[in-house]
Amino acid sequence: MAELVAGNGACFPLRQGAGLVGRRDEDRASPAPDVDLGVLEGGRTVSRQHVRIYRSGADWYLKVQSRARNATVVAGQLLLPNQATKLHDGDEIKLGTVTVVFRADRELPLPDPNATMIRTGPAPAELRSGELRLPLAVAEGRMLTLGRHSDDATYQPDVDLGEVPSGRTISRRHGLLFHHGNTWYLRVEADVTNPTYLNAKLLQKGEEVALTDGDQLRMGNALATFHQDKPVRYVDSDLLDLALGPPTDVTLETGAQQAVLLTLVNFTGRVDWFVLDVNRIPAEWWKIVLPDGSTPPAEELPQVRLDTAVPPLATPTATARVTLVLAPPRRADARAGTYPFLVSATSLDNRRLRRTATGQLVVKPFVSVRLSLEPAYMTGSRARYRLGVFNDGNTPVIVSMQVDTDKRLEAKLGHTEVTLANGSDAAIDLDLRVKRRPWLGPAVVHKAIIKAVADQQTPIQEAFLTCPPRIPLWLQNVLGRIQADLKPILAVLAVLTALLVAGYLWLLPPDVKLVPDKPLVASSGSTTLSWNVRRGEGQAVLEGPAGSQQVPLPSGTITVNADQAVEYKLSARNVIGLGATGSARIQVLRVVSFTATPDTLKQPGDPVTLQWTTENATSVNIEPSDEIASAPVNGKVVVHPQTSTTYRLVASNDQAGAQVSAETRAAFGAPRIAQFQQDHQQVFPGDPVLLSWVADGFTRLTLKGSSDDLELKGVEQDVTRRTSMLVRPVRSGQYTLVAANTDGMTTEAQVSIGTLPIKTSRLQPPAKPISAGETATLSWQIEGANDRTTVVLQPDGIDVSGRTSVDVQPGHTTKYILQVTAADGQSMTSDAVTVPVLPAIREFRVVPATITEGDPVVLTWNVVDADTVTITRDDGAQFVGKPADQTPDHPSAAVTSYTIKARNATGDSADSVASVIKIKVQPASTPTPVPRILPLPGV
């Protein structure tokens, strides 16, 4: 992590390893920057999108955006739009009139990234007030002064709160901040004038208090909040196990991508969320695809929720298998080389446990050299042009410069060879000078072709120098008019001169005229050269690109073909051997180059740059012209083809009535499936399997499997917008991923998944016999069962699918089995288990409950699942009967209870209150004696 620190102490962190720095658009017409410097004094001088600061490997870079309008100065160096420079810790950056200091993260990497340790030094801490964030950083034993700056700026505390709301109510020397270990403290100054509150509690002058995350400070009327991150604790694999790959070392072309499996297992003892992050490579080079196939937004780190497991057994719910996709962009700042990277998983609970894994990304080099010329057209006998050589590739290159000119032009380069780092450029001066400047005639246009040669690439630019005659055209016109006025006088002199010269004509060299019937032809076109030679003798010599040949005199014609501008010369001699030469130049209308970059596309609508260079064309037309309103004779345009397209360029010269054409093609390459894998190679029928893939260059992606899959069901699924899918195979088979591009080209990849039969289930009987009608629990484990497995308990016919136990209430000893039917229709039966059932007494009555000795009672009973029933009186007498029966009895006075006991093959019924009935037997009453009647005396 890095940050920008303003002069008032405000801190602007650069998160995710990169950030756009600028000013928020008040009209919201453009996206907000990652770092908004508009809140600072002079902030309106910062462009809305001013610079981008990003990390590449271990280094930080700043690149000026093309839309930046105000000055950008880094460490005293003025940078132009699109120019980049390396940043160092402490560099001063000036954007417009705003000055900030770049601070890089100086945390050293761990010698062993998986070592168990607590980070040394305090965790990052800061004071926040509104939009301001004031970082707190000082060595242990030293203190930071807290307060506000003086009005004349002669006093500046280390932590300046003068710019926060009500900041003027803070004393200039309000307090001191320092730390011991990981704990920060505030000491209120003894001479402070305004009160200080910590969480609404008044602090006394000179008082020293410890600060914790979230504490609120009120100094005067100004508020600030103290924040401190909890330190991260690195743990071993017995708490968190994080595995990368295989592979752990990945080699990629820029613009390509590769997926690597990342496995995280939670052994912490808590169900928790875990944040996944990748460090030491730019954030835009990687993404993480979660188990459900989703990818978090770029501004959010991916999170997974895991149950906990007991090591070393990694249960499925405690394991997350995510996909790390590495994709370095095809840009100059994606420097070729080796990038060790660190993957981390951090728990979100207050323990902040972290586990890391290391990997290595090797970015392959690519070369892309671009050439610019400014200006392209100049006038005079000499001129200086400025060449720009740009290395748009990601590796340093050596560029050799070459200049081709005609014989009348002299060229000189400031440098014939330059070495460019990736993303850098160089300016080279090109001086052109005309060797012989003509006195009379029209202005002559000279051309120089400049080439930059680097690793089989040769971009071309053309420079034109228009050389006027020494005697201006207006003066030549004036002299012509004067000559016309003096013509009568000169006629007499001309006759005399002619008579004098006629005698000497034989001494004159031949008069050679060589003229093409078409001075400009289309490439590979033909023209006829005609010549007429006066005062010539013998034969003449015609020289051309194919060599020299003798031609007859005094006149003749010859047909020639030209692929590029060419000059012909005709040499003849007179009778005394004096020679003369005539020349004719044939210009050629041709397309020097017509290219499409890139020539291989991945997606419909991808940008393609068409670039062309022509010679002697007055107009250019390109078909198809959907995105090309008008085309210059030399230039480039960006198009977005939806299908493979052949572009045809027709260059015309209206004066000559000639046309030439050239074609280039932007075609879609075959779609590529970089990876197609399953998270399990063998499963039970109907188990879910996650298929994941990484592909590019396609417009449609389909997945098909056998008809025995519960999800696909034999139907081809469109998975164009997905990177994974859950399937549920019923039987062993293959799954085919088909990637098709817009041209109908297809690429296939296949994976196989095998199915295993469900293991025989084991049914566990109850630990002891039960009484009839009581509840017994049967339990089982079926290895390989899932939500598509049907389980039925027999003989009751109960559907117990998805369960591992069931309660039964057998009325008698019963054998139970499980019938298991897997998703593939295969059935199996478990071994039978017996639930032994003891007899159960449902009813036992003695009527009446109270009798007189000798009176009868009736015993009635009903026993379930009994073979025999025995009723015993407490005097030892027994009755044996059926499971449901009754019997009369005449108990004696000594009988007070009856006990019933039932028996079957399992055993005796359990004793209970219901198995014993007490009665009350009263003794028989004594008869009242009959009174005797005695006779009265005397009767």
Side-chain angles (χ1 to χ4, degrees), residues 309-381:
V310 178
L313 181 61
T315 60
T317 58
T319 303
R321 292 181 176 88
V322 301
T323 302
L324 171 62
V325 181
L326 299 172
R330 192 172 181 82
R331 297 201 310 258
D333 55 11
R335 178 179 50 83
T338 301
Y339 295 85
F341 61 88
L342 189 72
V343 184
S344 65
T346 307
S347 67
L348 287 182
D349 63 0
N350 55 6
R351 297 179 299 171
R352 300 284 288 159
L353 306 181
R354 176 173 291 177
R355 177 74 175 169
T356 59
T358 58
Q360 180 172 279
L361 171 62
V362 178
V363 179
K364 290 185 177 181
F366 75 92
V367 176
S368 178
V369 178
R370 180 165 47 91
L371 188 62
S372 68
L373 177 66
E374 187 178 345
Y377 296 87
M378 297 189 73
T379 301
S381 61

Side-chain angles (χ1 to χ4, degrees), residues 1-4 12-19 21 35 53 60 102:
M1 182 174 173
E3 59 190 8
L4 301 177
F12 301 89
L14 293 166
R15 305 188 186 279
Q16 302 294 327
V21 182
V35 177
I53 297 177
W60 286 89
F102 174 75

Side-chain angles (χ1 to χ4, degrees), residues 1-6 10-25 31-40 43 46-54 60 93 95 98 100-102 131:
M1 182 174 173
E3 59 190 8
L4 301 177
V5 182
C11 174
F12 301 89
L14 293 166
R15 305 188 186 279
Q16 302 294 327
L20 179 65
V21 182
R23 169 173 58 86
R24 184 183 297 273
D25 187 356
D34 301 304
V35 177
D36 182 11
L37 298 183
V39 298
L40 299 177
V46 179
S47 298
R48 291 181 175 89
Q49 298 182 25
H50 204 121
V51 299
R52 177 170 291 277
I53 297 177
Y54 57 91
W60 286 89
I93 302 173
L95 308 178
V98 173
V100 292
V101 176
F102 174 75
E131 296 293 331

Side-chain angles (χ1 to χ4, degrees), residues 292-321:
D292 62 359
S294 64
T295 301
E299 64 273 9
E300 296 179 8
L301 289 176
Q303 299 180 8
V304 292
R305 183 183 182 276
L306 294 178
D307 294 342
T308 185
V310 178
L313 181 61
T315 60
T317 58
T319 303
R321 292 181 176 88

